[in-house]
Amino acid sequence: MRDGISAYIAVTAAYWAFMLTDGALRMLVLLHFHTLGFSPVQLAYLFVLYEIAGVVTNLSAGWIAARFGLTSTLYAGLGIQVLALLALTQLDPGWGLTASVVFVMAVQGASGVAKDLAKMSSKSAVKILAPSDGTGLFRWVAVLTGSKNAVKGLGFLLGAALLASFGFVPSVLSMAVILSGILLAVMLRMPSGLPVGRKDAKFTEVFSRNPRINWLSFSRLFLFGARDVWFVVGIPIYFYAVLSDGSEAGNRAAYFTIGSFMALWIILYGAVQAAAPKILNAQQRNEADLTRAAATWALGLAVIPACLALLVALAGAPTPWLTITLIAGLLAFGAVFAVNSGLHSYLILAFTNGDRVTMDVGFYYMSNAAGRLIGTVLSGGSYQLGGLPLCLAVAAAMVGLSAFGAAQLGSRSVESR
């Protein structure tokens, strides 16, 4: 048990370090290229390959981990992120728009591979290491996922602060150096406790035959699409338009404000996600009851973006009270979203078994990445076509589809494995 706890701590620490740089890098890229004159659609393009890479990586990462071991995929994720950060420092301001977009898309694609290798490794490790008694699995996955999102939220704030204080290249280079040191420390100190892989693992095993895992993956796809359709491009650009007066000082103030909001949103999301077992009273409920709760929480979530879309559309021009109401509404969305996400993260591990954990988790997070990809593309397009109200309306529709998928879980026998 002591080796298991030590391995869990090492995996969590490595994942924290990765997500800090991931959040900071996303904010650096978004704000830096927005100030260079990129349109909302062009900004969305910068993250498209990141999400496509996530779809492909998650589909294959489960098989890679099953064949070569979880520590191999964890180290690979951290190492590729270091290389992606170093590559981004080579961006030449003299390049044309097309060359800059293509280069950053390629680097973001590598970062997407890195992130999902690290995520799949960390989440799968919880299934292997968590105690099997009571609500141990739910508690361990809630701590890992919730703390990860809090750290990523700090990364958003860190990225905005670094950009405003030191500029783009020094900020990216410093993160590469720090993450390299953490990778080395984890490699030297990683205890035993994680599976080393099996050579007979077949790639076709990644496709699940469990209908509950397939429906949960469907629900996850639309849940995360609903978040990113306003989160990736829509809300940062909307707030930038409201807060910046075009001056250098105004831009800096907008950077800090946007970074602070997004950091607060992610930190709140992480804190609520970590508390999801208590919020759901998981200790007093069985797996079947928690499975049915997924649809109820998704339906409740859909109401929030629908109301916000109507409010912003009717208000017209931004006003201080509208901005405050919008911030409060989006934080409420984050809290309810966190319960949905935490419940999903528990259910995927509850539905799978030790022999298939990396395969099923990889397939599930492939759907997660596909949802982020769809949300990213729709974020830029929706904002350009209809502004923030359309982004929020699309989010409400996508949460509705997520609720439909979650409702199918309750109709499946809990005993089907």
Short mmCIF file of all heavy atoms in Angstrom, two decimals, residues 332-364:
data_model
loop_
_atom_site.label_atom_id
_atom_site.label_comp_id
_atom_site.label_asym_id
_atom_site.label_seq_id
_atom_site.Cartn_x
_atom_site.Cartn_y
_atom_site.Cartn_z
N ALA A 332 -20.98 29.84 -12.05
CA ALA A 332 -21.99 28.83 -11.68
C ALA A 332 -21.95 27.66 -12.66
O ALA A 332 -22.05 26.49 -12.26
CB ALA A 332 -23.39 29.47 -11.68
N PHE A 333 -21.79 27.98 -13.95
CA PHE A 333 -21.62 26.92 -14.95
C PHE A 333 -20.42 26.04 -14.59
O PHE A 333 -20.49 24.81 -14.67
CB PHE A 333 -21.43 27.55 -16.33
CG PHE A 333 -21.24 26.56 -17.45
CD1 PHE A 333 -22.30 26.15 -18.23
CD2 PHE A 333 -19.98 26.03 -17.74
CE1 PHE A 333 -22.13 25.24 -19.27
CE2 PHE A 333 -19.79 25.12 -18.76
CZ PHE A 333 -20.88 24.72 -19.54
N GLY A 334 -19.31 26.69 -14.20
CA GLY A 334 -18.11 25.94 -13.84
C GLY A 334 -18.34 24.99 -12.68
O GLY A 334 -17.84 23.86 -12.67
N ALA A 335 -19.09 25.44 -11.68
CA ALA A 335 -19.34 24.59 -10.51
C ALA A 335 -20.18 23.37 -10.87
O ALA A 335 -19.85 22.23 -10.49
CB ALA A 335 -20.04 25.41 -9.42
N VAL A 336 -21.26 23.57 -11.63
CA VAL A 336 -22.12 22.45 -12.01
C VAL A 336 -21.41 21.55 -13.02
O VAL A 336 -21.51 20.32 -12.98
CB VAL A 336 -23.46 22.96 -12.57
CG1 VAL A 336 -24.37 21.79 -12.92
CG2 VAL A 336 -24.15 23.87 -11.56
N PHE A 337 -20.67 22.18 -13.93
CA PHE A 337 -19.86 21.42 -14.89
C PHE A 337 -18.87 20.51 -14.16
O PHE A 337 -18.64 19.37 -14.56
CB PHE A 337 -19.13 22.40 -15.80
CG PHE A 337 -18.22 21.77 -16.82
CD1 PHE A 337 -18.70 21.37 -18.05
CD2 PHE A 337 -16.87 21.57 -16.54
CE1 PHE A 337 -17.86 20.79 -18.99
CE2 PHE A 337 -16.03 21.00 -17.47
CZ PHE A 337 -16.53 20.60 -18.71
N ALA A 338 -18.27 21.01 -13.08
CA ALA A 338 -17.28 20.25 -12.33
C ALA A 338 -17.89 18.99 -11.73
O ALA A 338 -17.25 17.92 -11.71
CB ALA A 338 -16.67 21.12 -11.24
N VAL A 339 -19.11 19.08 -11.22
CA VAL A 339 -19.76 17.89 -10.67
C VAL A 339 -20.01 16.88 -11.78
O VAL A 339 -19.77 15.67 -11.61
CB VAL A 339 -21.08 18.27 -9.97
CG1 VAL A 339 -21.80 17.01 -9.47
CG2 VAL A 339 -20.81 19.20 -8.79
N ASN A 340 -20.49 17.36 -12.93
CA ASN A 340 -20.68 16.47 -14.09
C ASN A 340 -19.38 15.78 -14.48
O ASN A 340 -19.33 14.56 -14.67
CB ASN A 340 -21.21 17.27 -15.28
CG ASN A 340 -22.70 17.51 -15.23
OD1 ASN A 340 -23.49 16.69 -15.70
ND2 ASN A 340 -23.11 18.63 -14.65
N SER A 341 -18.32 16.58 -14.60
CA SER A 341 -17.04 16.04 -15.03
C SER A 341 -16.47 15.06 -14.01
O SER A 341 -15.94 14.00 -14.37
CB SER A 341 -16.05 17.19 -15.26
OG SER A 341 -14.79 16.72 -15.67
N GLY A 342 -16.56 15.41 -12.73
CA GLY A 342 -16.06 14.51 -11.69
C GLY A 342 -16.82 13.19 -11.66
O GLY A 342 -16.22 12.12 -11.46
N LEU A 343 -18.12 13.25 -11.87
CA LEU A 343 -18.93 12.04 -11.90
C LEU A 343 -18.53 11.17 -13.09
O LEU A 343 -18.39 9.95 -12.97
CB LEU A 343 -20.40 12.42 -11.98
CG LEU A 343 -21.45 11.30 -11.88
CD1 LEU A 343 -21.20 10.42 -10.66
CD2 LEU A 343 -22.85 11.90 -11.84
N HIS A 344 -18.32 11.79 -14.25
CA HIS A 344 -17.86 11.05 -15.43
C HIS A 344 -16.52 10.37 -15.15
O HIS A 344 -16.30 9.21 -15.53
CB HIS A 344 -17.69 11.99 -16.62
CG HIS A 344 -18.97 12.38 -17.27
ND1 HIS A 344 -19.04 12.96 -18.52
CD2 HIS A 344 -20.26 12.26 -16.87
CE1 HIS A 344 -20.29 13.19 -18.84
NE2 HIS A 344 -21.05 12.78 -17.85
N SER A 345 -15.58 11.12 -14.53
CA SER A 345 -14.24 10.58 -14.28
C SER A 345 -14.29 9.37 -13.35
O SER A 345 -13.47 8.46 -13.47
CB SER A 345 -13.34 11.67 -13.68
OG SER A 345 -13.13 12.71 -14.61
N TYR A 346 -15.23 9.38 -12.43
CA TYR A 346 -15.41 8.21 -11.58
C TYR A 346 -16.04 7.05 -12.34
O TYR A 346 -15.59 5.91 -12.26
CB TYR A 346 -16.29 8.56 -10.37
CG TYR A 346 -16.92 7.35 -9.73
CD1 TYR A 346 -16.16 6.44 -9.00
CD2 TYR A 346 -18.28 7.07 -9.88
CE1 TYR A 346 -16.73 5.31 -8.43
CE2 TYR A 346 -18.87 5.96 -9.31
CZ TYR A 346 -18.08 5.07 -8.59
OH TYR A 346 -18.65 3.96 -8.04
N LEU A 347 -17.08 7.35 -13.13
CA LEU A 347 -17.82 6.29 -13.80
C LEU A 347 -16.97 5.53 -14.81
O LEU A 347 -17.09 4.31 -14.93
CB LEU A 347 -19.06 6.86 -14.50
CG LEU A 347 -20.18 7.34 -13.57
CD1 LEU A 347 -21.30 7.99 -14.38
CD2 LEU A 347 -20.74 6.20 -12.73
N ILE A 348 -16.07 6.22 -15.54
CA ILE A 348 -15.25 5.51 -16.51
C ILE A 348 -14.36 4.48 -15.82
O ILE A 348 -14.16 3.37 -16.32
CB ILE A 348 -14.42 6.47 -17.38
CG1 ILE A 348 -13.64 5.70 -18.45
CG2 ILE A 348 -13.47 7.30 -16.55
CD1 ILE A 348 -14.47 4.88 -19.39
N LEU A 349 -13.86 4.83 -14.63
CA LEU A 349 -13.02 3.88 -13.91
C LEU A 349 -13.85 2.80 -13.23
O LEU A 349 -13.40 1.66 -13.07
CB LEU A 349 -12.16 4.62 -12.89
CG LEU A 349 -11.13 5.60 -13.47
CD1 LEU A 349 -10.34 6.27 -12.36
CD2 LEU A 349 -10.19 4.89 -14.43
N ALA A 350 -15.08 3.14 -12.85
CA ALA A 350 -15.96 2.13 -12.25
C ALA A 350 -16.44 1.13 -13.29
O ALA A 350 -16.59 -0.06 -13.00
CB ALA A 350 -17.16 2.82 -11.60
N PHE A 351 -16.68 1.58 -14.52
CA PHE A 351 -17.20 0.71 -15.57
C PHE A 351 -16.15 -0.24 -16.14
O PHE A 351 -16.48 -1.29 -16.67
CB PHE A 351 -17.76 1.54 -16.73
CG PHE A 351 -19.03 2.30 -16.40
CD1 PHE A 351 -19.50 3.28 -17.26
CD2 PHE A 351 -19.75 2.04 -15.25
CE1 PHE A 351 -20.67 3.99 -16.98
CE2 PHE A 351 -20.91 2.74 -14.95
CZ PHE A 351 -21.37 3.72 -15.82
N THR A 352 -14.86 0.15 -16.08
CA THR A 352 -13.82 -0.67 -16.68
C THR A 352 -13.26 -1.63 -15.64
O THR A 352 -13.68 -1.66 -14.49
CB THR A 352 -12.70 0.21 -17.26
OG1 THR A 352 -11.79 -0.60 -18.02
CG2 THR A 352 -11.92 0.92 -16.15
N ASN A 353 -12.28 -2.44 -16.04
CA ASN A 353 -11.60 -3.33 -15.11
C ASN A 353 -10.10 -3.19 -15.30
O ASN A 353 -9.63 -2.55 -16.24
CB ASN A 353 -12.06 -4.79 -15.29
CG ASN A 353 -11.84 -5.28 -16.71
OD1 ASN A 353 -10.73 -5.25 -17.23
ND2 ASN A 353 -12.91 -5.75 -17.35
N GLY A 354 -9.33 -3.78 -14.39
CA GLY A 354 -7.89 -3.60 -14.39
C GLY A 354 -7.21 -4.03 -15.68
O GLY A 354 -6.23 -3.42 -16.11
N ASP A 355 -7.73 -5.07 -16.34
CA ASP A 355 -7.10 -5.57 -17.56
C ASP A 355 -7.27 -4.62 -18.74
O ASP A 355 -6.44 -4.58 -19.64
CB ASP A 355 -7.69 -6.95 -17.93
CG ASP A 355 -7.33 -8.02 -16.92
OD1 ASP A 355 -6.31 -7.84 -16.22
OD2 ASP A 355 -8.06 -9.01 -16.83
N ARG A 356 -8.38 -3.86 -18.73
CA ARG A 356 -8.68 -2.99 -19.87
C ARG A 356 -8.57 -1.51 -19.53
O ARG A 356 -8.94 -0.66 -20.35
CB ARG A 356 -10.11 -3.26 -20.37
CG ARG A 356 -10.27 -4.49 -21.25
CD ARG A 356 -11.60 -4.40 -21.99
NE ARG A 356 -11.76 -3.13 -22.68
CZ ARG A 356 -11.30 -2.88 -23.90
NH1 ARG A 356 -10.64 -3.79 -24.56
NH2 ARG A 356 -11.50 -1.69 -24.45
N VAL A 357 -8.06 -1.16 -18.36
CA VAL A 357 -8.17 0.22 -17.91
C VAL A 357 -7.53 1.21 -18.88
O VAL A 357 -8.12 2.24 -19.20
CB VAL A 357 -7.60 0.37 -16.48
CG1 VAL A 357 -6.13 -0.02 -16.39
CG2 VAL A 357 -7.80 1.79 -16.00
N THR A 358 -6.32 0.94 -19.37
CA THR A 358 -5.68 1.92 -20.25
C THR A 358 -6.43 2.03 -21.57
O THR A 358 -6.53 3.12 -22.15
CB THR A 358 -4.20 1.57 -20.51
OG1 THR A 358 -4.11 0.30 -21.17
CG2 THR A 358 -3.42 1.53 -19.21
N MET A 359 -6.97 0.91 -22.07
CA MET A 359 -7.72 0.92 -23.32
C MET A 359 -9.00 1.74 -23.18
O MET A 359 -9.29 2.62 -24.01
CB MET A 359 -8.08 -0.51 -23.73
CG MET A 359 -6.90 -1.45 -23.85
SD MET A 359 -5.90 -1.11 -25.30
CE MET A 359 -4.87 -2.59 -25.33
N ASP A 360 -9.78 1.46 -22.14
CA ASP A 360 -11.06 2.15 -21.96
C ASP A 360 -10.87 3.62 -21.62
O ASP A 360 -11.61 4.48 -22.11
CB ASP A 360 -11.88 1.45 -20.88
CG ASP A 360 -12.42 0.10 -21.34
OD1 ASP A 360 -12.52 -0.10 -22.56
OD2 ASP A 360 -12.75 -0.73 -20.48
N VAL A 361 -9.89 3.91 -20.78
CA VAL A 361 -9.62 5.31 -20.44
C VAL A 361 -9.12 6.07 -21.66
O VAL A 361 -9.51 7.22 -21.90
CB VAL A 361 -8.60 5.40 -19.28
CG1 VAL A 361 -8.13 6.84 -19.09
CG2 VAL A 361 -9.23 4.90 -17.99
N GLY A 362 -8.28 5.43 -22.48
CA GLY A 362 -7.82 6.06 -23.71
C GLY A 362 -8.96 6.36 -24.66
O GLY A 362 -9.04 7.45 -25.25
N PHE A 363 -9.88 5.40 -24.83
CA PHE A 363 -11.03 5.59 -25.72
C PHE A 363 -11.94 6.71 -25.20
O PHE A 363 -12.40 7.56 -25.96
CB PHE A 363 -11.82 4.29 -25.82
CG PHE A 363 -13.02 4.38 -26.73
CD1 PHE A 363 -12.87 4.31 -28.10
CD2 PHE A 363 -14.29 4.53 -26.20
CE1 PHE A 363 -13.98 4.40 -28.94
CE2 PHE A 363 -15.41 4.63 -27.03
CZ PHE A 363 -15.24 4.55 -28.40
N TYR A 364 -12.15 6.71 -23.89
CA TYR A 364 -13.00 7.73 -23.25
C TYR A 364 -12.42 9.13 -23.43
O TYR A 364 -13.11 10.08 -23.80
CB TYR A 364 -13.14 7.35 -21.78
CG TYR A 364 -13.66 8.39 -20.84
CD1 TYR A 364 -15.02 8.66 -20.75
CD2 TYR A 364 -12.80 9.08 -19.99
CE1 TYR A 364 -15.51 9.59 -19.84
CE2 TYR A 364 -13.27 10.01 -19.09
CZ TYR A 364 -14.63 10.26 -19.02
OH TYR A 364 -15.10 11.18 -18.12
#
